[in-house]
Amino acid sequence: MSSPRLPRETRSSGLEPLAVLPVFVTLQGKRAVLAGANGGAAWKVKLLAAAGAQVEVYAPEPTDEMRAAPAEAVAGRIVLHERDWTPADLEGAAFAIAAHEDEGDCAAFVAAARRAGAIVNAIDRPHLCDVSFGAIVNRSPLVVGISTEGAAPVFGQTVRARIEAMLPSGFKAWVGAARDWRAAVSARYHAFAERRAFWERFTDRAFAEPDRAPVQADLDALMAETDAGPRGGSVVLVGAGPGDAELLTLKALRALRSADVILYDDLVAREILDYARREARTMLVGKTGHGPSCRQDDINALMVSLARSGKRVVRLKAGDPLVFGRAGEEIDACREAGIPVSVVPGVTAAQGAAASLGLSLTHRDAARRLQYVTGHDRRGALPEDLNWAALGDSSVTTVIYMPKRTLGALLDRAVAEGLPPATPALAVFNATRPEQVVVQGSAATLAARVAESGVEGPAIVMVGDAVGRGAQALIAEAVHRPEMTAEPIVLAGEG
Ligand code: SAH
């Protein structure tokens, strides 16, 4: 038996290669020049003006839309010169856009603009550009820019629409208030930690009431709360689901976004940690069925001491925290220490697996009951006190968690208790993850097939007549999803 391991801090490696560097250009009151009159010109002129620029447009033959632009400027100013540009026009330009139809005209303008020290863009000519325009979500002063580096504009537009939907329009007022209040907050709180505490409270309030415009009373209340000292710590047990990050609940997402520290298990899919704040500490408190684990007492003590020091702790657990998750002990430890504790449910492995296979666990022609059991007792052996009569009944759908070490013994005993040997059974490995693999068999054959398959990863086993009802859907699915048909999936029909 290996010695228990200690909780350890984990860090994602941080940077990955960036296709482009997103930067935000301040154009308030600055001179911007656009030359030419191609199809994209009018929009770019308005965009530069919206960013507060003094826009000079040079086009001997402007389009009607360009002619109308000066009257439509929402900020900045637009002046249209119905003539060709000259090098003198570029003097003092901070930003320049080439909008000529002709490549040579564009190149000449771009060269002159660079000499004048401007940042340069040429519409539809990426090879001539210093910078490119992305899709924009505008909640000014909150601005989101999206780039696919020209690879997939439609994709970018769809991402933009998603982000639009995620950012309430009221954020405009909240971020505006932050700008207006910044000086007062900095004057009042000299310590970085205090300022940060204020802005965290401010942000929490904005997210809680995005559609209410912030008023002076909010500033006063937030300052009073900040003066009252550190916010008490808390613990939230959060279900991370079986792997697919899209199965996280909105509440889980919110808890991850506001956590100071995240204590997570080995079984939690790593991409789920990407939803945490970048500043959050992440700690692997590894508990797996096999291999070294952290002691439950160490995890409890760590959770309590972090929360006592004022941290918002998320205890992130695979699946649902309340299904074979030892959540009871963690909740008790928090309660005994007087720490506020709450639970955010997650999709348990059985539900994730059933959904991915289109398998009704309570098919009304086949199942009278649904039960979740564990293949392990405290010592890792087959639990003696399972309800063997229920396990011997094929009209019960049984889902076995932690099945691997004891599967053969468990199914043999169930058959001895009356379960027909031909009762359909499935093992689902890595449910809902890209590497999901299904091994199909019967109560009599599944254990041997699982052993033969050599598949690795967390698995659950499902047994019962209802499981057979899903088999057709499963096979169809497997045929249509190449990653599910690779060896060693065993999909032979069972008799
Ligand atoms: N709270 C978790 C269960 C934790 S016990 C839940 O609700 O799902 C750990 C066991 O869960 C594993 O041994 C395995 O049987 C099962 N499990 C967790 N994630 C799984 C996954 N993605 N695929 C298959 N089984 C999984």
Side-chain angles (χ1 to χ4, degrees):
M1 182 81 200
S2 41
S3 55
R5 70 177 166 197
L6 293 173
R8 73 188 151 87
E9 191 121 4
T10 54
R11 270 266 146 250
S12 63
S13 66
L15 271 184
E16 297 203 2
L18 269 172
V20 289
L21 181 70
V23 293
F24 296 90
V25 181
T26 306
L27 285 180
Q28 297 297 335
K30 295 198 181 150
R31 181 179 174 87
V33 176
L34 180 140
N38 70 11
W43 173 248
K44 288 295 194 300
V45 167
K46 290 185 227 175
L47 204 55
L48 291 171
Q54 306 295 309
V55 191
E56 308 289 339
V57 184
Y58 299 93
E61 290 169 25
T63 60
D64 289 347
E65 211 187 337
M66 290 171 76
R67 285 214 172 83
E72 289 172 11
V74 291
R77 186 181 55 117
I78 300 171
V79 179
L80 176 61
H81 309 271
E82 298 202 16
R83 63 165 172 85
D84 263 325
W85 65 280
T86 68
D89 298 328
L90 282 160
E91 227 163 83
F95 206 98
I97 299 182
H100 306 88
E101 301 286 356
D102 179 75
E103 167 89 11
D105 291 348
C106 270
F109 178 80
V110 162
R114 284 208 179 111
R115 274 197 299 277
I119 300 171
V120 178
N121 171 273
I123 295 173
D124 291 337
R125 291 194 168 83
H127 55 287
L128 293 177
C129 290
D130 296 334
V131 294
S132 57
F133 290 80
I136 299 169
V137 179
N138 186 5
R139 303 283 184 274
S140 288
L142 175 68
V143 176
V144 182
I146 299 146
S147 164
T148 60
E149 215 209 352
V154 174
F155 199 100
Q157 290 302 328
T158 306
V159 170
R160 190 188 69 83
R162 288 275 181 106
I163 296 177
E164 282 278 1
M166 259 172 57
L167 299 183
S169 55
F171 277 4
K172 184 175 172 57
W174 281 95
V175 183
R179 182 184 52 198
D180 297 344
W181 295 348
R182 186 138 214 107
V185 172
S186 297
R188 173 132 168 190
Y189 302 112
H190 297 290
F192 171 79
E194 274 181 335
R195 282 204 298 278
R196 170 133 202 127
F198 173 90
W199 289 116
E200 283 181 353
R201 285 196 164 87
F202 173 92
T203 307
D204 285 351
R205 192 171 280 212
F207 273 79
E209 300 178 81
D211 299 320
R212 182 177 68 72
V215 291
Q216 180 67 34
D218 288 299
L219 176 61
D220 298 341
L222 289 165
M223 282 182 163
E225 279 173 34
T226 306
D227 294 344
R231 148 179 37 210
S234 59
V235 172
V236 190
L237 273 58
V238 175
D244 179 354
E246 300 226 344
L247 295 175
L248 282 171
T249 63
L250 293 176
K251 273 197 182 183
L253 212 55
R254 186 179 299 201
L256 285 172
R257 296 301 306 163
S258 60
D260 298 312
V261 188
I262 297 170
L263 309 180
Y264 67 98
D265 292 341
D266 276 335
L267 267 182
V268 170
R270 292 301 184 271
E271 52 268 36
I272 285 174
L273 295 173
D274 293 343
Y275 290 87
R277 283 189 307 140
R278 219 166 9 136
E279 300 77 22
R281 288 170 69 195
T282 49
M283 297 179 83
L284 174 63
V285 293
K287 279 179 65 73
T288 50
H290 313 287
S293 296
C294 296
R295 287 175 39 224
Q296 186 66 49
D297 287 347
D298 289 342
I299 298 173
N300 294 353
L302 179 65
M303 217 168 55
V304 165
S305 80
L306 285 166
R308 277 215 173 106
S309 70
K311 301 286 186 240
R312 285 166 296 184
V313 180
V314 159
R315 175 73 179 97
L316 188 62
K317 298 163 92 64
D320 181 88
L322 303 181
V323 175
F324 301 124
R326 298 189 69 174
E329 292 158 63
E330 296 181 0
I331 293 170
D332 287 348
C334 291
R335 291 220 170 111
E336 274 159 30
I339 303 228
V341 57
S342 56
V343 181
V344 175
V347 172
T348 189
Q351 258 49 61
S356 75
L357 302 178
L359 194 159
S360 168
L361 296 171
T362 55
H363 195 294
R364 37 183 217 167
D365 298 337
R368 291 287 158 272
R369 177 139 74 117
L370 172 62
Q371 61 182 358
Y372 294 169
V373 302
T374 167
H376 279 189
D377 64 12
R378 279 168 193 272
R379 294 163 298 126
L382 184 64
E384 266 312 308
D385 52 1
L386 289 175
N387 181 339
W388 291 106
L391 285 162
D393 178 354
S394 69
S395 75
V396 178
T397 307
T398 300
V399 181
I400 310 165
Y401 285 70
M402 295 166 274
K404 285 198 225 157
R405 260 194 285 188
T406 58
L407 186 59
L410 193 155
L411 291 178
D412 286 351
R413 172 87 183 263
V415 168
E417 301 282 341
L419 187 71
T423 307
L426 298 174
V428 184
F429 289 79
N430 300 304
T432 80
R433 303 180 185 204
E435 63 273 23
Q436 171 167 323
V437 168
V438 180
V439 178
Q440 191 181 35
S442 67
T445 63
L446 188 71
R449 289 193 172 184
V450 165
E452 272 163 34
S453 77
V455 183
E456 302 280 335
I460 50 164
V461 164
M462 303 182 176
V463 195
D465 292 335
V467 171
R469 303 292 177 129
Q472 286 314 310
L474 161 67
I475 289 165
E477 179 78 339
V479 168
H480 287 107
R481 291 179 52 190
E483 76 271 21
M484 286 182 60
T485 59
E487 293 281 66
I489 305 169
V490 186
L491 279 172
E494 196 50 48

